[in-house]
Amino acid sequence: MKAASQPSVLVTGGAGYIGAHTAKALHERGFLPVVFDDLSSGSREAVRWGPLIQGDLRDRAALSEAVATHQPVAVIHFAGLIEVGRSTVSPDLFWEVNVAGTVNLLTVMREQGVERLVFSSSAAVYGQGGRGPLETIAETADKAPASPYGDTKLAAEWMIAAQCRAHGLTAVALRYFNAAGADPSGLIGEAHEPETHLIPLAIAAALGDGKPLTVFGHDFDTPDGACLRDYVHVTDLAAAHLAALTVDLPAGAFEAVNVGSGRGHSVLQVVEAVGRAVGVPVPHAIGPRRAGDPPSLVADPRRARELLGWAAQHSALDEIVADALRWEREPAYGAGHRDPANRRRSPTPV
Ligand code: UDP
């Protein structure tokens, strides 16, 4: 039995990358993270700080039972589909999971009186809009998602905001910029299958465990022609969730907040940083642009500081890369993005 002093928080998608790091942060702050995850992309091994309920967001009865059993004081909602490219070929699936799944969750929360929500949103809600390449993005910037994935995140935000107005739910949507790095403990880290993210792919290429990296485009209107992104350490992201969960807000409030460092790095700067950390250059070639990639996504992080008292502490590029490299050298689980011919080099059989 859980101690009375340990309130439960339902963490949908808590077996995934950011969800697992947030579950650890919840545990460290005295909460019991109750993970609800279908394990379609998350890892069972990442659930270490509370129970795991294996279930699908589209299954309202399963969600309802999880909430009735664990009586959470709040929900942190990560579960959803995230691959931008896949969303362009299966938009119906993305709407079903990311939007209809969120409707289910909101309904269950209303039915059972759970009044606090933190939602995983994304900088993908902004797209490129009318911004110049070096402009940072404030929360009030135009919303022009460049993919069905971004559409579903924006639609879910609107629906949550309406639920706040209608039923007194209090919610914070965190618009993540580029999550990266790994917990310094080595217990949890990034393990997407397939892996599509720049930093793990660059590290795998440098370690000789993966294919040479393709840099997607070098003809953008940016200082070195490559895309600019705002990389934020996953430990910082986890801390932002705790801040969003505990900030004093009036009933019915809805807030959308950027979670980024405020600094942009180009793909080529990341390639250089990974080369420095590994000690060998990252094998790479310049390729065509990837569909739906805005040239630049860099947060204006002021609102997070004002509202949540949060600012990135561990998001210097070299710290992110060092922590990601420690994990990639010795992942506790997952290593599916590595070249199968070289997988025996990874310590965890996959
Ligand atoms: N990128 C790249 N090669 C890759 C993967 C990513 O050049 O193999 C670039 C991508 O175009 C983007 C940046 O790296 O500008 C970050 O991409 P990622 O997929 O990590 O995150 P996203 O920005 O799509 O959320």
Side-chain angles (χ1 to χ4, degrees):
M1 247 187 60
K2 70 180 196 253
S5 59
Q6 205 187 15
S8 296
V9 174
L10 187 72
V11 185
T12 73
Y17 173 44
I18 305 171
H21 285 79
T22 301
K24 180 171 185 269
L26 283 166
H27 167 77
E28 286 165 355
R29 285 281 292 273
F31 293 99
L32 178 71
V34 174
V35 170
F36 183 93
D37 196 303
D38 68 358
L39 299 181
S40 61
S41 58
S43 305
R44 191 180 291 280
E45 299 93 322
V47 183
R48 306 178 63 106
W49 293 280
L52 168 66
I53 300 159
Q54 194 170 345
D56 189 314
L57 276 184
R58 290 167 293 183
D59 181 352
R60 191 180 292 180
L63 271 174
S64 190
E65 191 187 328
V67 171
T69 304
H70 292 280
Q71 304 275 305
V73 295
V75 175
I76 307 186
H77 178 34
F78 295 96
L81 300 175
I82 62 163
E83 304 94 341
V84 171
R86 189 175 168 208
S87 80
T88 63
V89 292
S90 304
D92 47 350
L93 180 64
F94 274 65
W95 278 79
E96 198 180 310
V97 175
N98 292 2
V99 182
T102 302
V103 174
N104 273 342
L105 179 65
L106 292 174
T107 302
V108 167
M109 289 176 71
R110 177 175 51 73
E111 284 170 353
Q112 301 196 40
V114 185
E115 292 171 346
R116 190 84 190 217
L117 176 70
V118 180
F119 173 61
S120 279
S121 189
S122 169
V125 301
Y126 298 114
Q128 191 57 38
R131 270 174 297 115
L134 299 182
E135 271 179 62
T136 57
I137 306 174
E139 289 79 356
T140 48
D142 287 350
K143 314 297 179 297
S147 68
Y149 165 72
D151 291 338
T152 63
K153 287 293 172 184
L154 190 55
E157 278 195 15
W158 285 342
M159 198 174 51
I160 293 166
Q163 196 79 351
C164 291
R165 289 191 293 271
H167 299 293
L169 174 72
T170 303
V172 180
L174 296 178
R175 295 180 181 151
Y176 311 149
F177 283 66
N178 285 62
D183 191 74
S185 68
L187 294 173
I188 48 177
E190 190 163 11
H192 296 114
E193 179 60 62
E195 187 53 77
T196 60
H197 292 111
L198 176 63
I199 291 177
L201 291 179
I203 291 173
L207 291 176
D209 280 350
K211 299 183 182 64
L213 185 79
T214 302
V215 173
F216 295 145
H218 74 316
D219 57 350
F220 291 98
D221 183 16
T222 58
D224 66 10
C227 280
L228 286 176
R229 292 289 180 272
D230 180 333
Y231 295 90
V232 56
H233 198 298
V234 66
T235 301
D236 282 335
L237 269 178
H241 289 79
L242 268 291
L245 185 74
T246 53
V247 65
D248 194 15
L249 290 173
F254 172 80
E255 298 283 350
V257 183
N258 288 340
V259 187
S261 72
R263 289 183 300 272
H265 295 286
S266 80
V267 175
L268 294 171
Q269 287 174 318
V270 172
V271 164
E272 272 169 34
V274 170
R276 272 197 307 277
V278 178
V280 295
V282 176
H284 67 279
I286 307 291
R289 294 183 180 194
R290 182 172 65 177
D293 263 346
S296 158
L297 287 172
V298 181
D300 176 340
R302 280 177 294 185
R303 180 96 181 110
R305 188 186 283 278
E306 287 160 14
L307 183 77
L308 304 178
W310 175 92
Q313 309 280 331
H314 300 284
S315 294
L317 187 56
D318 287 330
E319 182 170 351
I320 288 176
V321 169
D323 285 343
L325 176 59
R326 184 182 311 113
W327 168 258
E328 292 292 338
R329 282 202 162 120
E330 229 175 300
Y333 50 86
H337 56 290
R338 298 175 177 208
D339 183 339
N342 291 316
R343 267 192 212 165
R344 64 183 171 280
R345 292 182 53 168
S346 70
T348 312
V350 289

